[in-house]
Amino acid sequence: MARARLRDRIRYWFDNTMSKGTPALIGWLGLASGVLIMVIASMVTAFAPADARANGHWPGLLWRSLLRTLDPGTMGGDQGTGPYLGLMLTATIGGIFIVSSLIGVLTTGLESKITELRKGRSMIVERDHTVVLGWSDQVFTVVSELVEANQSQRRSCVAILADHDKVDMEDAIKARMGDTGRTRVVCRRGNPLKVVDLDLVSPMTARSIIIVSPPVDDPDTHVIKALLSLGAREWGRTRPHVVAAVSDPANLPAARLAGGAAAHVIDADDVAIRLIVQSHRQSGLSTVYTDLLDFSGNEFYIRSEPSLAEATYGQALDAYELGIPAGLRRVDGTVVVNPPMDTVIKPDDEIILLAEDDLLIRTAVERPPIVEEAIATAAPQRPGPEHTLLLGWNNRAPKIIRLLDTFVQPGSELHIAAPRKDPRTADGPANLEGLQNLTLAFTACDPTDRTLLESLDVGSYQRVIVLSDASFDAQHADARTLVTLLHLRDMEESLGDPYSIVSEINDDANREVAQVTKADDFVVSAKLISLLLTQLSENQHLYDVFADLLDPSGSEIYLKPATDYVRPDTPANFATVIESARRRGETALGYRRWALFHAPPSYGVVLNPGKSAPLTLSPQDHVIVLAED
């Protein structure tokens, strides 16, 4: 091969230099300006010496040539010989081309830089921020809760990394949430599954990382790979804790293995099942959990209280003016919700407190008065066998039935009505065999068909569960659920309010529409999972608290008749309710007003009320307690 000519080498070098973008172009224009100025000054000195002397010789000519190159208007008053004026005109014309080119290069460079920034590919420089990986409707709930949680901070940041257009993400957040106050929301475009893209949101300096499930056919695969991408990084001394959720319980071991010790992976399906089962037996439970999990109301805090060392848990229940103890966290990290009342609080123990804000927690100077004559003395009624109607079917139904079997009394009945084959045989005998307390019946039925619903004799059941149909998309499934609820409510009014209704809703935005059906409770599992992830991102130790609450083997949240604790329509205070519950080995957290049962946003639920304020509960009201049964 023949050697390249010098001309070709120079041209190749020049092309490479020009391809480096705006800085290289500005450099070449500056070089051209310098050459033009020096050539003009030298030629004037050589061909018009008299004019050169009058203008300060060669240095002065350099200055005048520079001015004429940068500002063509400066030549209007020039006087001199023909060669001098001709050379100055040449400098001016050359300056016009150079300055015009410079303006064009700068404009193009700025536009290119703005376009690059709008792509969201620049690295952020933040500390103690929260990173959100992925994009789905969960993002809006997560970000809104983080904004609420960070209101007391002077400066906070949420960084979102997703394979979506940066501007589209920012516009969507602004449209759904509006002003985010002191919390800055920064969006970056990148694939959360790629290690190199994770650097865009500076995970090394983050406080916590939340992985949201994408709206795809197999979201768990993406969550697990995101956990692996985080695990593949080289972390420093401190590693932010990671929270995520999987929808298929079979993927839970793999996800926890991928996440390692620094990750908390939630079984979203299991949480939803437990909420549906417990809510069907005590309507309003999902509203209570929503209040506990969001940052706009009351939530759990974990803090030490040296003044209560060596006191018992029962004594600590009325030791706070603001805040209600709900359990203990031992020095080894073990969490006990609603421990026995005689449990001694050790100096190294931390108290789990229900409060509106950690800044509002304070111990009481004087214990609030107890109204003894208002405390109920009759034994609470024990539940008997239950008759439940299950309308609809999805992949959670078998687990719901099995969990329900552990809660109900022997002799209880469950009638399944769904547009499918009989699940007692179609799914195989191993699926629903071995039930101890439930007797199953089945009817093939479309829950949206009014005639078929009436044939089920709905009025003979105490409780009705309406499941979302997974064979349709979320919005269509919610629309079918709404039709079913309207039929049930219309039938109930003609029958005289014989049963309670608990329904599963996919989209929380549809809950407001569904309120017209006046169902007793709605379980929006997607929102509750998002709220739980956000809580854990702020305090990873709360994972054990909620795991204990949702575990049927320990204490759970119950809404029990107010008549079990205080005499109906008798003036008292909430301190009296706490004392009455304490004598039963339970922790009272609040109450629910029957008169406000269907009034949003709290639906009658009041958590952590003032202990000394006057309180009178009706026979239809309920007390919210932590209890073992």
Side-chain angles (χ1 to χ4, degrees):
M1 176 182 291
R3 296 182 61 183
R5 294 178 299 176
L6 178 62
R7 177 182 176 184
D8 295 332
R9 290 180 177 275
I10 294 175
R11 184 170 182 175
Y12 176 67
W13 170 80
F14 179 77
D15 290 344
N16 286 336
T17 305
M18 294 291 287
S19 65
K20 293 182 179 180
T22 302
L25 294 174
I26 293 175
W28 278 113
L29 289 173
L31 178 61
S33 299
V35 170
L36 176 65
I37 292 167
M38 287 188 292
V39 169
I40 294 296
S42 300
M43 292 183 69
V44 170
T45 302
F47 297 108
D51 294 311
R53 288 191 298 271
N55 290 280
H57 299 286
W58 194 78
L61 290 172
L62 281 178
W63 176 250
R64 290 182 176 275
S65 299
L66 173 64
L67 294 180
R68 283 163 175 77
T69 302
L70 297 180
D71 184 6
T74 57
M75 68 168 290
D78 283 347
Q79 294 180 355
T81 61
Y84 172 75
L85 293 177
L87 289 171
M88 291 299 104
L89 177 61
T90 302
T92 299
I93 295 174
I96 291 175
F97 285 103
I98 291 173
V99 171
S100 299
S101 301
L102 179 62
I103 293 173
V105 168
L106 289 175
T107 303
T108 303
L110 287 174
E111 290 179 351
S112 176
K113 188 62 178 178
I114 292 173
T115 301
E116 181 181 350
L117 291 174
R118 288 173 66 89
K119 290 179 180 179
R121 296 295 298 174
S122 60
M123 187 180 299
I124 70 171
V125 181
E126 296 285 348
R127 296 192 68 84
D128 294 328
H129 58 293
T130 302
V131 173
V132 179
L133 301 181
W135 183 264
S136 70
D137 286 342
Q138 283 184 302
V139 169
F140 304 110
T141 301
V142 169
V143 173
S144 64
E145 290 303 311
L146 290 173
V147 169
E148 187 73 29
N150 295 330
Q151 279 188 347
S152 59
Q153 299 184 18
R154 197 173 75 178
R155 181 178 179 273
S156 61
C157 175
V158 178
I160 302 173
L161 176 67
D163 197 9
H164 284 69
D165 183 76
K166 171 183 179 293
V167 178
D168 289 344
M169 290 190 287
E170 292 174 345
D171 290 344
I173 291 174
K174 185 177 181 179
R176 291 280 292 268
M177 298 178 51
D179 184 20
T180 57
R182 297 178 179 179
T183 301
R184 294 184 302 107
V185 180
V186 181
C187 297
R188 289 293 181 265
R189 180 163 193 170
N191 190 344
L193 307 183
K194 294 182 178 179
V195 177
V196 65
D197 286 352
L198 289 173
D199 289 332
L200 295 175
V201 289
S202 187
M204 302 291 290
T205 60
R207 177 179 58 186
S208 60
I209 300 175
I210 303 174
I211 303 175
V212 300
S213 300
V216 296
D217 292 336
D218 189 9
D220 289 355
T221 302
H222 292 258
V223 172
I224 293 173
K225 190 172 181 181
L227 290 169
L228 287 171
S229 298
L230 293 171
R233 299 183 59 85
E234 291 292 336
W235 300 94
R237 293 183 179 180
T238 59
R239 177 178 178 178
H241 61 276
V242 182
V243 293
V246 294
S247 56
D248 188 350
N251 294 324
L252 188 61
R256 288 179 172 170
L257 181 62
H264 284 105
V265 184
I266 302 168
D267 185 348
D269 200 53
D270 183 66
V271 172
I273 290 169
R274 295 184 186 280
L275 288 174
I276 292 171
V277 171
Q278 294 190 32
S279 295
H280 114 277
R281 304 182 66 244
Q282 43 187 346
S283 60
L285 185 64
S286 71
T287 304
V288 174
Y289 268 105
T290 300
D291 198 335
L292 291 174
L293 290 170
D294 66 24
F295 288 97
S296 60
N298 291 272
E299 52 264 7
F300 288 120
Y301 295 92
I302 302 177
R303 56 182 287 166
S304 60
E305 196 66 65
S307 62
L308 294 179
E310 304 305 328
T312 64
Y313 174 73
Q315 293 171 337
L317 289 178
D318 56 0
Y320 287 87
E321 181 181 352
L322 294 176
I324 300 176
L328 301 174
R329 183 174 184 268
R330 300 296 192 181
V331 67
D332 61 353
T334 304
V335 167
V336 183
V337 175
N338 186 43
M341 295 299 156
D342 58 356
T343 301
V344 177
I345 302 174
K346 299 179 181 179
D348 294 330
D349 289 346
E350 292 178 305
I351 298 178
I352 303 167
L353 282 162
L354 176 65
E356 188 174 354
D357 192 275
D358 56 345
L359 299 177
L360 299 178
I361 300 173
R362 61 175 179 264
T363 55
V365 178
E366 295 182 358
R367 302 295 172 99
I370 306 298
V371 184
E372 284 289 343
E373 58 271 20
I375 296 179
T377 56
Q381 296 182 355
R382 304 298 299 177
E386 300 176 9
H387 302 278
T388 304
L389 176 63
L390 178 66
L391 293 175
W393 189 270
N394 55 34
N395 60 337
R396 296 184 180 133
K399 296 178 182 178
I400 289 175
I401 295 172
R402 287 192 168 279
L403 184 60
L404 182 60
D405 181 65
T406 64
F407 278 101
V408 298
Q409 297 298 315
S412 298
E413 298 178 359
L414 177 68
H415 190 163
I416 305 168
R420 54 158 298 142
K421 295 180 180 179
D422 190 342
R424 296 173 299 179
T425 58
D427 293 341
N431 197 20
L432 295 176
E433 69 176 2
L435 299 178
Q436 301 295 321
N437 301 318
L438 276 177
T439 301
L440 300 183
F442 174 77
T443 300
C445 171
D446 183 353
T448 62
D449 190 318
R450 175 63 177 263
T451 303
L452 294 177
L453 283 178
E454 290 177 341
S455 67
L456 295 174
D457 189 18
V458 181
S460 63
Y461 298 95
Q462 299 164 304
R463 298 181 175 89
V464 179
I465 304 174
V466 181
L467 294 183
S468 178
D469 194 335
S471 61
F472 299 93
D473 64 81
Q475 295 299 325
H476 191 182
D478 284 353
R480 288 176 56 85
T481 300
L482 180 59
V483 172
T484 302
L485 292 175
L486 287 171
H487 288 324
L488 290 172
R489 184 56 63 196
D490 183 58
M491 294 164 60
E492 184 185 34
E493 290 179 356
S494 62
L495 293 172
D497 196 24
Y499 49 78
S500 64
I501 307 172
V502 173
S503 175
E504 183 183 21
I505 296 290
N506 293 298
D507 189 349
D508 188 59
N510 293 326
R511 175 170 181 155
E512 296 182 5
V513 179
Q515 292 303 322
V516 298
T517 66
K518 294 185 177 181
D520 296 83
D521 204 359
F522 297 92
V523 177
V524 190
S525 56
K527 180 179 181 180
L528 291 171
I529 293 300
S530 301
L531 294 176
L532 181 55
L533 290 176
T534 311
Q535 283 280 351
L536 298 183
S537 72
E538 293 294 298
N539 188 344
Q540 58 181 323
H541 301 304
L542 289 178
Y543 176 83
D544 297 322
V545 176
F546 287 104
D548 197 339
L549 287 176
L550 293 171
D551 187 352
S553 62
S555 291
E556 301 93 48
I557 298 176
Y558 289 92
L559 286 84
K560 297 188 176 183
T563 53
D564 289 352
Y565 301 90
V566 292
R567 298 181 187 274
D569 301 323
T570 301
N573 54 27
F574 193 68
T576 303
V577 177
I578 292 177
E579 174 61 21
S580 179
R582 185 189 67 80
R583 296 177 184 180
R584 300 177 185 272
E586 302 172 355
T587 302
L589 302 178
Y591 55 86
R592 188 183 193 189
R593 293 285 193 185
W594 175 261
L596 302 175
F597 205 85
H598 298 292
S602 63
Y603 304 97
V605 170
V606 179
L607 292 176
N608 186 32
K611 296 181 177 64
S612 301
L615 175 66
T616 302
L617 297 177
S618 71
Q620 292 79 25
D621 293 337
H622 288 78
V623 174
I624 303 168
V625 297
L626 290 172
E628 291 192 3
D629 53 29

